[in-house]
Amino acid sequence: MRVRELAIPGAWEFTPTVRVDPRGGFAEMFKASEFEQVVGRPFDLLQINSSTSAAGVLRGIHYTEDPPGQAKYVTCTRGAFVDVVVDLRPDSPTFGAWDSIIIDDVDRRWVFLSEGLGHALLSLADDSTVTYLCSLEYSPEFDHAVDALDPDIGIAWPTADREGRALHLLRSPKDAEAPRLRETAVARRGVA
């Protein structure tokens, strides 16, 4: 497995080696010993989620209050997504910065996000499916969102899908009404 730390400390890209033969392909998607060597701690799995999206569906930026925080290990099992990590840790030197990678059903990359990081996904193909492993069960009292189109964060979202067709963004009401980063409690903690 190839591992690359993203520009946001506490986030990594894991690209498995896919072995192909006449029967099909095989890849190790997670190996605790390798994960712990890279990240410096085990991954405590408490919940697994999956969602399917049409091209143009934009989910996030979602985050969980830290503490307790929620770490995620995310992959695309069908189609393709732009996966974006945003640093929402008020004391971090990269607070408000973001990085992105493409996760798809070809390279089978995974993204690990530590607690305190925000996460957003943009589907690049119809019926794209993402699966994410979580270190904390869903707790609505800790669940929050930041506007993924916040100009202060400035995420460079693609405007075309995998086939070059124009993407028309579709967001949930919760995501469309999410506050800008400077309006969130996490930002206020950074200036308090």
Side-chain angles (χ1 to χ4, degrees):
M1 183 164 313
R2 292 185 324 272
V3 180
R4 178 180 70 91
E5 188 168 15
L6 298 182
I8 306 302
W12 289 267
E13 168 191 292
F14 291 82
T15 305
T17 301
V18 180
R19 292 172 176 80
V20 178
D21 65 26
R23 301 169 297 160
F26 173 83
E28 290 180 345
M29 304 305 239
F30 178 85
K31 196 170 196 175
S33 60
E34 291 180 12
F35 180 89
E36 289 177 30
Q37 184 177 13
V38 170
V39 176
R41 64 180 175 131
F43 183 77
D44 298 320
L45 175 63
L46 294 184
Q47 183 170 323
I48 300 173
N49 300 323
S50 180
S51 65
T52 301
S53 300
V57 169
L58 176 57
R59 298 178 185 271
I61 303 168
H62 299 148
Y63 70 98
T64 303
E65 284 180 34
D66 190 20
Q70 182 185 63
K72 295 178 183 176
Y73 193 57
V74 184
T75 194
C76 174
T77 55
R78 180 178 180 183
F81 291 90
V82 174
D83 189 300
V84 175
V85 179
V86 181
D87 192 342
L88 299 178
R89 300 167 296 193
D91 298 330
S92 172
T94 57
F95 177 76
W98 62 275
D99 198 358
S100 68
I101 67 167
I102 300 293
I103 56 174
D104 61 24
D105 56 8
V106 176
D107 294 321
R108 302 182 186 186
R109 289 183 187 97
W110 288 75
V111 177
F112 174 71
L113 303 84
S114 296
E115 295 85 351
L117 300 179
H119 187 236
L121 293 161
L122 173 61
S123 177
L124 298 176
D126 285 336
D127 298 318
S128 290
T129 303
V130 67
T131 299
Y132 48 105
L133 290 61
C134 303
S135 68
L136 180 73
E137 292 181 6
Y138 174 68
S139 303
E141 67 273 20
F142 299 125
D143 185 47
H144 302 287
V146 173
D147 184 0
L149 303 179
D150 183 341
D152 293 336
I153 298 172
I155 298 171
W157 295 108
T159 58
D161 68 11
R162 289 177 91 175
E163 307 301 322
R165 295 179 299 246
L167 280 175
H168 303 285
L169 297 183
L170 176 61
R171 301 194 290 166
S172 71
K174 173 188 168 185
D175 288 347
E177 296 167 5
R180 292 173 68 171
L181 180 57
R182 71 173 92 162
E183 299 165 346
T184 65
V186 71
R188 289 190 296 275
R189 278 199 313 267
V191 295

